[in-house]
């Protein structure tokens, strides 16, 4: 069920519950009526927050896995030296653009999450609150000017990239918001006079430089990798153990 529809249904349920409470408590104290109405509202907020977590658990997990895996392969497995100068122009471009893409894809899903979370009270005590806390920490890691290393993006830039990654796609329930795939991302980068490409030019230029950066000068990417491990630990919710802070995943691609 779409979140907007769920909001409308739950709002109607809260209104109905409130009217029933009022009807049945004519002779009860105003304080009791207020307490019962408050409990009904909190229940509705909790259900909305749980639905939001379920909706974004899988796509955000896939995007976070892709970004975490790429960072691991850059920091620990020598991915860039192996492919940046391999002599195959397609592979050389792929390793640059796909690295930028997995970051942009993650920011796209976070932007969708942010837009739907605005309907909710951030104090709701559900996994959604923990999720938003880790997402906030990742925002800070990317934006910090005290951390060494590439991929510094201020909050406005993070949101702008997230917005640029949003698109519409068909589904059985109709048109829904989605995040652009890699093929469309590359097509937009190649468009002449593209207003899309300038947002990614600096990030693309920074990827080759990563191969020359010592790990202790690459604080941002190392911190980002660890933040993503924490995010994945929450999103898996016990489906499998988080094996190590060094690497949850180490696949190449």
């Amino acid at each position: 069920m779409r979140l907007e529809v769920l909001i409308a249904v739950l709002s109607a349920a809260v209104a109905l519950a409130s009217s029933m409470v009022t009807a049945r408590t004519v002779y009860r104290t105003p304080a009791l009526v207020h307490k019962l109405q408050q409990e009904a509202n909190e229940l509705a907020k909790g259900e909305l927050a749980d639905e939001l977590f379920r909706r974004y658990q899988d796509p955000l997990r896939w995007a976070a896995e892709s970004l975490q895996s790429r960072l691991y392969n850059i920091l620990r497995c020598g991915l860039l030296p192996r492919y940046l100068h391999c002599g195959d122009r397609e592979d050389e471009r792929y390793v640059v653009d796909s690295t930028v893409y997995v970051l942009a894809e993650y920011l796209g899903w976070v932007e969708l999450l942010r837009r739907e979370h605005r309907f909710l009270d951030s104090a709701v005590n559900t996994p959604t609150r923990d999720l938003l806390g880790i997402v906030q920490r990742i925002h800070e890691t990317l934006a910090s000017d005290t951390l060494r290393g590439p991929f510094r993006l201020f909050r406005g830039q993070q949101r702008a990239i997230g917005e640029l990654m949003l698109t519409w796609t068909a589904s059985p329930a109709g048109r829904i918001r989605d995040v652009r795939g890699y093929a469309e991302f590359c097509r937009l980068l190649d468009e002449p006079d593209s207003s899309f490409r300038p947002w990614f030019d600096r990030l693309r230029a920074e990827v080759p430089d990563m191969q020359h950066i010592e790990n202790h000068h690459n604080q941002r990417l190392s911190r980002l990798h660890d933040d993503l491990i924490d995010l994945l630990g929450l999103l898996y919710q016990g489906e499998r153990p988080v094996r190590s802070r060094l690497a949850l995943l180490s696949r190449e691609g």
Side-chain angles (χ1 to χ4, degrees), residues 3-242:
L3 187 62
E4 296 84 354
V5 176
L6 184 62
I7 289 172
V9 171
L10 289 174
S11 297
V14 170
L16 178 60
S18 297
S19 63
M20 292 175 65
V21 167
T22 302
R24 293 180 180 183
T25 56
V26 172
Y27 298 106
R28 299 183 187 181
T29 65
L32 178 59
V33 174
H34 176 71
K35 180 181 177 182
L36 292 172
Q37 289 175 334
Q38 222 175 15
E39 289 174 353
N41 288 334
E42 290 303 315
L43 178 62
K45 289 177 184 178
E47 290 174 349
L48 286 171
D50 289 342
E51 169 63 20
L52 187 67
F53 184 89
R54 286 191 296 268
R55 170 181 285 201
Y56 286 101
Q57 183 178 9
D58 283 342
L60 192 56
R61 178 170 61 187
W62 297 331
E65 278 185 354
S66 296
L67 179 55
Q68 181 273 330
S69 176
R70 177 53 56 92
L71 292 176
Y72 178 81
N73 281 298
I74 288 173
L75 294 169
R76 304 295 184 188
C77 299
L79 176 72
L80 297 182
R82 189 159 67 249
Y83 285 100
L84 275 176
H85 309 291
C86 66
D88 186 316
R89 293 184 63 184
E90 289 188 9
D91 284 353
E92 290 172 356
R93 172 171 177 174
Y94 172 78
V95 77
V96 171
D97 287 352
S98 63
T99 298
V100 175
Y101 172 76
V102 292
L103 173 62
E105 179 190 30
Y106 166 80
L107 292 175
W109 285 111
V110 168
E111 176 62 16
L112 279 178
L113 175 66
R114 186 201 67 80
R115 292 184 179 196
E116 296 204 358
H117 171 257
R118 63 190 172 185
F119 295 110
L120 299 178
D121 183 348
S122 59
V124 173
N125 187 21
T126 69
T128 306
R129 185 179 65 177
D130 298 329
L131 170 63
L132 294 170
I134 299 177
V135 167
Q136 174 69 15
R137 195 199 314 161
I138 293 173
H139 278 315
E140 293 168 357
T141 296
L142 288 170
S144 173
D145 56 8
T146 64
L147 294 174
R148 297 177 179 179
F151 280 14
R152 180 189 52 71
L153 292 167
F154 293 127
R155 292 176 184 274
Q157 293 171 313
Q158 294 176 45
R159 284 205 54 197
I161 288 174
E163 290 170 6
L164 287 169
M165 292 298 293
L166 300 187
T167 186
W168 291 94
T169 190
S171 79
R175 277 163 48 86
I176 60 171
R177 275 296 197 179
D178 201 353
V179 173
R180 299 184 193 279
Y182 180 63
E184 186 179 7
F185 175 79
C186 291
R187 178 183 64 77
L188 291 170
L189 289 178
D190 288 340
E191 282 188 351
D193 303 320
S194 170
S195 59
F196 182 85
R197 186 180 60 246
W199 288 96
F200 302 96
D201 282 344
R202 180 172 63 82
L203 298 176
R204 295 169 80 196
E206 287 178 342
V207 174
D209 293 337
M210 293 177 189
Q211 64 183 320
H212 305 300
I213 300 175
E214 302 270 342
N215 277 344
H216 64 280
H217 289 152
N218 220 349
Q219 296 169 326
R220 188 185 323 282
L221 296 189
S222 296
R223 177 85 59 85
L224 179 58
H225 175 271
D226 288 349
D227 290 343
L228 290 165
I229 291 288
D230 291 339
L231 176 59
L232 288 167
L234 175 65
L235 292 172
Y236 271 107
Q237 288 193 318
E239 291 178 27
R240 68 177 183 180
V242 178

